[in-house]
């Protein structure tokens, strides 16, 4: 049973009737541009085929009830304030709260969720859930909410209601991506450009390697990186680290006394430049040439931002040794997935190389799949 059928079946099983419709939103991987989003910088994600599907119908009872294929019992809430709903259902309740805070009348609804987006893998399962629920409620309620404004509301649900200090990239990718494209997002202006990313036409593939090391954004490490960046921007007298260009990096670093802060700043400034360089190459159709930028990004995350772990480092090294053009961790860090740019016919060999490297270290075996850029949130 596919994920859409699972959502519809869960709705019927829980509520005794069929849904008014099915709405889907994808997980995402970030091709390049890590931790640049909350620094007003540049990112380049694309949507995965894996998605969260929300089978939804307006309810004749006040409030909202959500059930899920990854939870035993449904959760009901009414006019939820932050702290009222916890766990997985907080992501749905947060969307209702954010819409209400923005002045929208949200229709009471019944929602059944199903997902094949890996949880804890750094591919934004939470943003996919938020985006699917938001898209469903906006459609059912006929809300005057342009697509361009939806990511900020979904982000507010995660930041304020759930308490995870993530930037706007995840929700933007889940809502605004297009099939066959990478989403070039300026996280300050929120302007987007759909960048052609036709891997198959070039005989290439992006192999996603799930290290099976779960990560959590609500823990202290992600927030600590964000606070360090914000403090550095304050010391440097700029609105955000995005305002420090690559040519200005040495002068900026000279103004910072703390060595850890210097490393954090160096990652953000060089990572922004790597995004711009990657976009320039993709606009010219030179996909293979982005490989070294991906690998340099990983080294920067490992050495300067210090957000990688042994299992993702080993996956990157094994993929490169197996002939990948480039490889890097994707997501907030401390676990999650690695992306490897490979020739399409090298997927099995690359997977085998990573599996062997993991086995030699007695790591839990990785999970791999080839990712094709898919569409953003939509009604099915």
């Amino acid at each position: 049973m596919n994920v859409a059928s699972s959502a519809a079946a869960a709705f019927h099983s829980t509520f005794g009737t069929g849904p008014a419709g099915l709405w889907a939103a994808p997980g995402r991987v970030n091709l390049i541009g890590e931790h640049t989003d909350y620094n007003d910088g540049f990112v380049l994600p694309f949507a995965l085929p894996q998605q969260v599907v929300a089978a939804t119908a307006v309810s004749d009872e006040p409030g909202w009830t959500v059930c899920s294929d990854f939870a035993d019992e449904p959760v009901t809430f009414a006019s939820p304030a932050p702290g009222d709903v916890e766990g997985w259902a907080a992501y749905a309740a947060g969307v209702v709260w954010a819409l209400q805070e923005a002045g929208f009348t949200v229709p009471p609804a019944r929602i059944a969720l199903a997902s094949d987006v890996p949880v804890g893998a750094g591919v934004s399962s939470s943003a996919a859930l938020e985006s699917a629920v938001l898209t469903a409620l906006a459609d059912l309620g006929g809300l005057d909410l342009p697509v361009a404004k939806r990511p900020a509301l979904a982000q507010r649900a995660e930041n304020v209601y759930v308490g995870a200090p993530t930037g706007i990239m995840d929700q933007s990718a889940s809502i605004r991506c297009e099939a066959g494209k990478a989403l070039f997002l300026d996280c300050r202006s929120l302007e987007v450009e759909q960048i052609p990313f036709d891997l198959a036409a070039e005989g290439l593939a992006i192999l996603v390697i799930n290290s099976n090391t779960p990560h959590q954004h609500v823990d202290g490490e992600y927030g600590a990186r964000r606070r360090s960046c914000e403090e550095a921007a304050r010391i440097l007298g700029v609105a955000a680290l995005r305002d420090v260009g690559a040519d200005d990096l040495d002068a900026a670093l000279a103004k910072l006394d703390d060595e850890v802060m210097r490393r954090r700043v160096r990652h953000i400034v060089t990572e922004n430049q790597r995004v711009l360089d990657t976009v320039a190459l993709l606009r010219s159709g030179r996909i293979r040439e982005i490989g070294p930028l991906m690998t340099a990004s990983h080294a920067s995350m490992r050495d300067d931002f210090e957000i990688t772990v042994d299992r993702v480092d080993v996956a990157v090294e094994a993929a490169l040794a197996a002939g990948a053009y480039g490889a890097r961790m994707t997501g907030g860090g401390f676990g999650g997935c690695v992306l490897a740019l490979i020739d399409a016919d090298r997927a099995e060999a690359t997977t085998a190389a990573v599996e062997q490297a993991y086995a030699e270290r007695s790591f839990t075996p990785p999970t791999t799949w080839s990712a094709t850029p898919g569409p953003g949130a939509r009604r099915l």
Side-chain angles (χ1 to χ4, degrees), residues 118-139:
V119 176
V123 294
S124 295
S125 57
S126 59
L129 191 161
E130 293 154 359
S131 300
V133 171
L134 176 62
T135 305
L137 292 176
D139 281 5

Side-chain angles (χ1 to χ4, degrees), residues 181-260:
K181 309 285 179 61
L183 185 79
F184 178 36
L185 171 65
D186 180 332
C187 294
R188 171 171 285 168
S189 69
L190 302 184
E191 291 180 1
V192 301
E193 180 183 349
Q194 303 289 345
I195 305 295
F197 193 48
D198 190 348
L199 293 159
E202 299 294 324
L204 298 170
I206 288 285
L207 184 69
V208 182
I209 305 163
N210 184 354
S211 70
N212 288 322
T213 309
H215 74 154
Q216 286 285 336
H217 274 173
V218 244
D219 65 11
E221 293 292 343
Y222 187 101
R225 298 304 186 281
R226 184 165 187 162
R227 288 190 298 273
S228 182
C229 291
E230 290 168 349
E231 176 64 10
R234 187 192 66 78
I235 293 171
L236 295 172
V238 293
L241 292 182
R242 177 255 183 73
D243 297 310
V244 181
D247 293 340
D248 307 321
L249 178 58
D250 289 343
L253 295 181
K255 297 176 182 177
L256 301 173
D257 296 328
D258 183 76
E259 179 56 33
V260 171

Side-chain angles (χ1 to χ4, degrees), residues 90-181:
Y91 295 95
V95 168
V96 172
W97 170 82
L99 285 167
Q100 290 179 327
E101 285 284 297
F104 291 102
T105 300
V106 186
R110 297 168 173 171
I111 305 169
L113 299 167
S115 175
D116 60 358
V117 182
V119 176
V123 294
S124 295
S125 57
S126 59
L129 191 161
E130 293 154 359
S131 300
V133 171
L134 176 62
T135 305
L137 292 176
D139 281 5
L140 284 174
L143 306 185
D144 182 15
L145 182 55
V147 170
K149 294 186 179 298
R150 294 181 182 185
L153 283 177
Q155 180 200 14
R156 183 165 167 75
E158 185 144 350
N159 288 175
V160 180
Y161 199 95
V162 178
T166 54
I168 201 168
M169 173 182 67
D170 297 349
Q171 293 81 8
S172 295
S174 191
I175 291 171
R176 304 189 71 180
C177 276
E178 295 181 4
K181 309 285 179 61

